[in-house]
Amino acid sequence: MTVKLTWLSHACFLIETEDVKIIVDPFLTGNPLAFATPDEIEADYILVSHGHGDHVGDTVEIAKNTGATVVSNPEICEWLAKKGVKKCHAMQLGGAYNFPWGKLKMTLALHSSPMPDGSFGGNPCGFILFIDGKKIYHACDTGLFYDMTFIGEEGIDVALLPIGDNFTMGPDDAIKALHLIKPKKVIPIHYNTFELIKQDPKPWVERVKVETSSEPVLLSPGDTYKI
């Protein structure tokens, strides 16, 4: 079975199979690189990694438009419910759950998580999706941490890793992360959206080829990669 990964820019991915559409961290409104608008999104599930506005993004609007189930931590689920989101599934770090489309595991992330209004947004996270026989690790916003080794033990097919620096891992630490995770493929994310995270990904891609065992996949916003 084929899994389609479409990068809508920043950390936002649309992950699709024949049976499900999952969008992660749907920051579209106010995103200068966004490849879609909220009203164009079709989704059955929305995964939200943490409370920052550039990750919660358009979750409320998309959830109301589509009836999608939002998966996030309990604090974010509670905040979304107050905004009128009807369907939320709360998880905690290290937990996994078998959804109709496959298993989702919530991983650690080194970051912060205030909500757009400044309220407490719980713990930030990443996600491992076990979907149609594929294992996809979306690191979301994180710094480097050695327990990425345990994530690698899952046998990751594709890792989505931030390289923007300043707020997350930069290019150097993302290379170190690849030595810990050892994914078959890696897609760089979370760069060039703002001046503070401006990066040229091409030199990093060349480093991946030379310094790691992973194969880099460089996408532009709107590009789709199939696994």
Side-chain angles (χ1 to χ4, degrees):
M1 300 293 287
T2 299
V3 180
K4 294 168 57 179
L5 305 175
T6 302
W7 188 39
L8 300 181
S9 80
H10 207 54
C12 182
F13 269 84
L14 182 62
I15 301 172
E16 301 174 86
T17 70
E18 292 181 357
D19 301 317
V20 70
K21 296 179 187 293
I22 303 166
I23 192 166
V24 186
D25 286 353
F27 171 48
L28 303 172
T29 301
N31 176 350
L33 301 181
F35 196 77
T37 58
D39 59 292
E40 294 174 320
I41 298 298
E42 297 179 5
D44 303 297
Y45 288 83
I46 304 169
L47 310 186
V48 179
S49 65
H50 64 287
H52 289 157
D54 60 329
H55 291 262
V56 173
D58 299 289
T59 295
V60 173
E61 181 178 347
I62 294 170
K64 289 180 178 180
N65 288 346
T66 64
T69 297
V70 181
V71 183
S72 193
N73 67 39
E75 292 83 2
I76 291 176
C77 285
E78 182 178 351
W79 187 87
L80 291 171
K82 292 176 181 177
K83 299 290 184 181
V85 174
K86 299 299 184 183
K87 294 190 289 185
C88 282
H89 182 104
M91 297 179 65
Q92 282 285 16
L93 298 178
Y97 186 80
N98 290 311
F99 291 93
W101 49 265
K103 185 170 77 170
L104 180 71
K105 186 171 185 179
M106 188 174 278
T107 70
L108 299 177
L110 288 182
H111 203 57
S112 60
S113 185
M115 302 306 298
D117 60 8
S119 60
F120 180 57
N123 292 313
C125 74
F127 300 103
I128 305 176
L129 296 90
F130 301 79
I131 182 169
D132 275 12
K134 311 300 192 301
K135 299 173 185 178
I136 302 164
Y137 171 47
H138 194 321
C140 303
D141 276 19
T142 188
L144 178 69
F145 57 97
Y146 194 74
D147 282 359
M148 285 179 172
T149 304
F150 296 124
I151 294 170
E153 289 177 357
E154 299 284 2
I156 301 299
D157 292 296
V158 180
L160 314 176
L161 296 186
I163 66 164
D165 222 347
N166 195 76
F167 298 114
T168 68
M169 293 188 295
D172 291 340
D173 278 357
I175 292 290
K176 293 178 182 178
L178 289 174
H179 289 299
L180 301 177
I181 304 165
K182 298 181 175 63
K184 294 175 185 175
K185 315 276 187 180
V186 60
I187 300 173
I189 65 169
H190 206 278
Y191 65 92
N192 286 352
T193 323
F194 314 113
E195 186 64 29
L196 279 173
I197 58 171
K198 191 171 180 61
Q199 298 287 344
D200 180 355
K202 292 179 181 178
W204 186 81
V205 163
E206 293 306 311
R207 288 186 62 190
V208 172
K209 293 176 182 178
V210 172
E211 299 178 31
T212 80
S213 60
S214 301
E215 179 182 337
V217 177
L218 184 59
L219 302 180
S220 296
D223 286 351
T224 295
Y225 179 67
K226 298 179 180 180
I227 56 173

